[in-house]
Amino acid sequence: MHPLAFISDNWQKWLPALIVICAIVWLVLFRSAPTSEQAIFTAMLVIYMIHQNEEHFWPGGFRQFANARVFKSGDADWPVTEGGVALVNIGYVWLPIALAALFPGPLRWLGLGWVGLTLINAITHIATTIRFRTYNPGLITSIVLFLPFTIWALWYEHAHGMLTGPHIAMLLVAGVLLQLPVAALFVVPYRRAREIRPA
């Protein structure tokens, strides 16, 4: 099996172990400075993994939910595919947050941008549940972890003079805009296929 195919098929199975390992690392590294920006970005990576676990491992089913409810494609693996899900969750979530955690000085705004993205992601999950009137995988961690953590992080930064009101507004806009490449990854091929199909 090709290494990329192996990762695509199995990355979600690593989440429980990764969550435990990363949580232990966080406790060791940041117990004396839990509110530093490096600690915040590292905690966000752990929290995101917990969210991904709900979406894609246990109980899982986010990909199937999106294809059945959002796109109504009749295909459990299209347009939201296993490969696309792996690309987004590893390349678009783990990588930038991990880089911000490793280099919180020069990449501070990258980390804060992903705080905004995480907050908007939570709101999107809640809005999806309201729209379809049913649970969607990721909803519980969005409410229990994403919302309180991101709101607290923005409040803390503002309360300590590290973010202004306009900065927070900018981060919320960034959170919306950062969702667009993810949406385009799945929406564009779906719309193209629908345009071609009638012909």
Side-chain angles (χ1 to χ4, degrees):
M1 179 182 285
H2 191 280
L4 290 178
F6 177 80
I7 292 171
S8 176
D9 290 345
N10 293 283
W11 73 275
Q12 68 276 14
K13 299 173 187 175
W14 308 332
L15 285 167
L18 284 172
I19 290 165
V20 172
I21 293 168
C22 291
I24 292 171
V25 169
W26 189 93
L27 289 170
V28 170
L29 294 178
F30 302 113
R31 59 184 174 182
S32 61
T35 57
S36 68
E37 287 190 331
Q38 188 170 36
I40 289 171
F41 298 153
T42 305
M44 187 166 65
L45 181 58
V46 178
I47 288 170
Y48 227 114
M49 287 180 178
I50 298 171
H51 176 72
Q52 291 167 331
N53 186 81
E54 182 191 358
E55 285 186 316
H56 304 291
F57 185 64
W58 188 86
F62 177 81
R63 174 171 52 87
Q64 295 87 340
F65 175 91
N67 288 326
R69 296 287 187 134
V70 178
F71 292 101
K72 300 179 181 177
S73 68
D75 185 337
D77 195 45
W78 189 83
V80 183
T81 64
E82 275 193 348
V85 165
L87 175 64
V88 168
N89 284 278
I90 297 173
Y92 203 67
V93 175
W94 291 1
L95 182 60
I97 297 176
L99 286 172
L102 288 170
F103 308 104
L107 297 182
R108 175 178 185 251
W109 287 104
L110 176 67
L112 291 171
W114 257 254
V115 172
L117 178 148
T118 304
L119 175 55
I120 298 302
N121 191 351
I123 293 170
T124 301
H125 272 282
I126 295 167
T128 300
T129 287
I130 293 171
R131 177 185 172 190
F132 293 108
R133 298 182 181 181
T134 187
Y135 165 81
N136 71 93
L139 174 67
I140 303 303
T141 45
S142 291
I143 296 171
V144 174
L145 294 176
F146 275 9
L147 277 183
F149 179 80
T150 54
I151 291 170
W152 169 82
L154 295 174
W155 168 85
Y156 181 86
E157 294 268 321
H158 182 265
H160 289 79
M162 294 182 282
L163 285 178
T164 65
H167 285 151
I168 292 174
M170 178 188 71
L171 291 174
L172 295 177
V173 172
V176 174
L177 295 178
L178 287 168
Q179 302 284 340
L180 298 181
V182 177
L185 180 66
F186 305 118
V187 171
V188 170
Y190 175 74
R191 299 190 92 174
R192 283 180 177 170
R194 288 196 64 183
E195 289 170 1
I196 294 170
R197 197 171 297 166

